[in-house]
Amino acid sequence: MRIGVLTGGGDCPGLNAVIRAAVRKGVQFYGLEFVGFRDGWKGPLDRMTKPLDVEAVRGILPRGGTILGSSRTNPLKVEGGVERIKENLAAEEVDALIAIGGEDTLGVATVLGDQHGVHVVGVPKTIDNDLNATDYTFGFDTAVHVATEAIDRLHTTAESHSRALIVEVMGRHAGWIALHSGMAGGANVILIPEVTFDIDEVCGWIESRFARGYAPIVVVAEGAHPKDGQMQIQTGELDAFGHARLGGIGERLAAEIEHRTKKEARTTVLGHTQRGGTPSPFDRWLATRFGLHAVDAVHDGDWGKMVALRGTDIIRVPLADATKTLKTVPMSLYEEAKVFFG
């Protein structure tokens, strides 16, 4: 069999570990042949390929990013896109695809498999950790490490200048990064998209912190918004999957806090630093296991499935189960974090 591999959506640490594991096991144990498709779904759409053999994946385990490149191309929005993909797969003599991606990339894989007969196996990746049917996605742990280290560093400068410091983290419409890094970094306020916040309450927590002689740290997810819905900043631009570009809530929040509390407030936007760099040991371990089990699914002909982490086991779940709804932070976990607010 000849297997195509692609990485779609936002890059994240661990993608190369999946590619390496899939190729190594597929070639050495099952005698499979691999070809890489470049730049996500743009690869099979435009027949953009890259040789992918054992030599090509040597030494890539600790590297961030993806040797295949990525994009947010949505072939379902391209006229004749599905037919072009099927024609190009046939021209490349590709029997099946391993699609490594998040909600959008795997959503396309689901449609191609369920409605158009493409043999596909999915691997879940996203720093946002918002894919259903898996306990964790690789990339998330590294992003939390980056955010936590930043929060640790900001504590000392906040205390030195007696400022309120706001840390804006990624996560889109799920607050997993904000919750985990905020709790690990000892933040005094954590704001997530799942719960609209009251700016008066936030300012009260901040003033309480200052009153005890300490400087507050606020961690805010990029998709968080207040009860009146007036502070969230969006560019109005949409990507190929119809998602608005988020960002700017940290700066607006700092301005509101400074205006209401008369205390200096500054914002640090971590942005794409959370995506970059070498993957954490956990993400290398998880991504490697996903790659190994994805190849097993290909060998078994178990199409339309995604490999997933359940406890410490890697299982297979229907792709549709992973992409039909977002996995968001439950209120019970957020209530735990609120013990430390203020």
Side-chain angles (χ1 to χ4, degrees):
M1 293 178 69
R2 183 170 163 88
I3 311 303
V5 181
L6 64 84
T7 55
D11 69 300
C12 77
L15 286 166
N16 288 323
V18 179
I19 298 167
R20 169 184 174 270
V23 171
R24 287 281 298 273
K25 185 170 187 178
V27 171
Q28 294 170 208
F29 282 76
Y30 297 133
L32 301 175
E33 183 181 350
F34 289 85
V35 60
F37 284 104
R38 293 166 47 205
D39 299 343
W41 287 113
K42 187 174 177 62
L45 187 67
D46 294 336
R47 201 176 175 183
M48 299 163 51
T49 63
K50 178 184 177 72
L52 205 55
D53 54 19
V54 172
E55 188 61 34
V57 301
R58 199 176 304 278
I60 67 173
L61 175 63
R63 286 173 54 184
T66 165
I67 63 169
L68 296 178
S70 191
S71 74
R72 296 192 184 278
T73 302
N74 183 357
L76 305 181
K77 298 293 186 180
V78 176
E79 186 174 355
V82 172
E83 289 72 21
R84 281 167 56 186
I85 285 178
K86 294 179 71 173
E87 289 170 2
N88 289 334
L89 292 179
E92 291 290 334
E93 298 182 326
V94 169
D95 301 293
L97 279 175
I98 295 177
I100 311 168
E103 172 196 9
D104 297 327
T105 301
L106 296 185
V108 171
T110 302
V111 172
L112 291 178
D114 290 351
Q115 300 179 23
H116 301 282
V118 176
H119 292 162
V120 61
V121 170
V123 177
K125 73 91 202 146
T126 170
I127 67 168
D128 303 334
N129 197 41
D130 60 359
L131 274 173
N132 260 319
T134 184
D135 290 348
Y136 287 99
T137 56
F138 69 87
F140 171 68
D141 184 70
T142 305
V144 170
H145 272 255
V146 171
T148 301
E149 182 181 0
I151 296 165
D152 286 345
R153 291 175 179 273
L154 290 169
H155 273 290
T156 57
T157 186
E159 296 293 347
S160 296
H161 292 275
S162 191
R163 291 171 174 154
L165 290 186
I166 292 84
V167 185
E168 182 182 312
V169 299
M170 285 182 163
R172 296 203 60 81
H173 302 294
W176 294 105
I177 296 176
L179 180 72
H180 281 239
S181 64
M183 289 187 72
N188 311 112
V189 182
I190 302 170
L191 306 177
I192 61 176
E194 293 85 346
V195 182
T196 56
F197 63 84
D198 184 329
I199 187 61
D200 290 325
E201 187 175 38
V202 171
C203 290
W205 287 323
I206 287 170
E207 289 175 326
S208 172
R209 181 74 175 172
F210 275 123
R212 295 199 301 274
Y214 297 100
I217 299 286
V218 178
V219 174
V220 57
E222 62 185 351
H225 52 94
K227 289 183 177 179
D228 61 12
Q230 295 301 306
M231 284 173 50
Q232 185 173 352
I233 306 298
Q234 294 186 2
T235 64
E237 300 176 22
L238 302 178
D239 64 18
F241 291 89
H243 301 309
R245 291 183 60 186
L246 298 174
I249 185 63
E251 286 290 350
R252 183 62 196 275
L253 189 60
E256 286 288 329
I257 289 171
E258 191 163 298
H259 173 71
R260 290 166 181 259
T261 67
K262 309 306 179 188
K263 295 287 188 178
E264 186 178 5
R266 298 288 182 88
T267 299
T268 298
V269 181
L270 297 182
H272 288 79
T273 60
Q274 296 158 94
R275 292 194 182 281
T278 187
S280 69
F282 178 83
D283 278 340
R284 299 185 201 189
W285 170 83
L286 179 58
T288 296
R289 293 187 71 201
F290 277 161
L292 297 175
H293 284 263
V295 166
D296 290 341
V298 167
H299 176 71
D300 295 342
D302 198 4
W303 314 123
K305 296 295 179 60
M306 183 189 81
V307 292
L309 181 67
R310 190 69 53 81
T312 58
D313 296 329
I314 305 296
I315 63 171
R316 300 174 193 170
V317 298
L319 268 169
D321 288 354
T323 57
K324 61 186 177 184
T325 57
L326 286 179
K327 182 180 70 179
T328 54
V329 174
M331 273 303 300
S332 59
L333 291 183
Y334 191 59
E335 289 296 330
E336 291 176 357
K338 289 180 72 173
V339 170
F340 304 98
F341 289 9

